[in-house]
Every structure is written in structure tokens, then in C-alpha cells.
Amino acid sequence: MMGIFGKMEMVIGMRLHSLIFSARMNVPMIGITYSGKVDEFLKMVEQDKWSLNYKEIELPDMFEKK
């Protein structure tokens, strides 16, 4: 799995393990948050600015993140 993630240009993930694999392989990520554990992980890896709440997300939001 790590090898597959290592070949990605970016990961848009909602599940914690997809974000862990992305961080481990140093692949940029956008986290779609649904629980505290995902929020806390994104903060821990200093990627919380790339966090989108699943209840509020709209497709253009992902493209407007900078």
C-alpha cells in the first residue's frame, strides 16, 4: 500500500489510514474530516489548513484551498 501511495501526486482522504499513508510517503493531502481523530492527525502533521469538514464541503472548496 505504501508503494501505491508513494506514486500519487496528491491524496484526498476521509479515512485516517489514507492520510497516515500519505503523510508517511510525503504526499500532499486534503483531509475530509468527520471525526476528532482525523482533525487531530492533520494538526499533528501540520496539515490542518488542508482540512475540510464533510458536512460543509462543496467541490469548489477543494480547488480553492491555498
Side-chain angles (χ1 to χ4, degrees):
M1 285 296 284
M2 298 295 268
I4 293 170
F5 273 78
K7 294 184 183 292
M8 295 181 183
E9 291 183 33
M10 174 182 239
V11 171
I12 300 172
M14 184 171 191
R15 305 299 295 183
L16 181 60
H17 282 89
S18 67
L19 299 173
I20 291 171
F21 293 158
S22 177
R24 179 70 176 106
M25 299 306 291
N26 202 26
V27 174
M29 68 183 96
I30 294 177
I32 301 173
T33 60
Y34 66 96
S35 76
K37 65 183 177 182
V38 174
D39 288 322
E40 290 303 314
F41 176 75
L42 290 170
K43 287 177 190 170
M44 184 176 73
V45 295
E46 299 178 356
Q47 297 298 312
D48 50 320
K49 77 175 191 173
W50 301 106
S51 171
L52 297 170
N53 186 293
Y54 84 99
K55 290 181 180 179
E56 302 166 0
I57 191 170
E58 301 220 7
L59 189 57
D61 293 341
M62 287 191 281
F63 299 106
E64 293 174 7
K65 283 281 189 183
K66 294 183 181 177

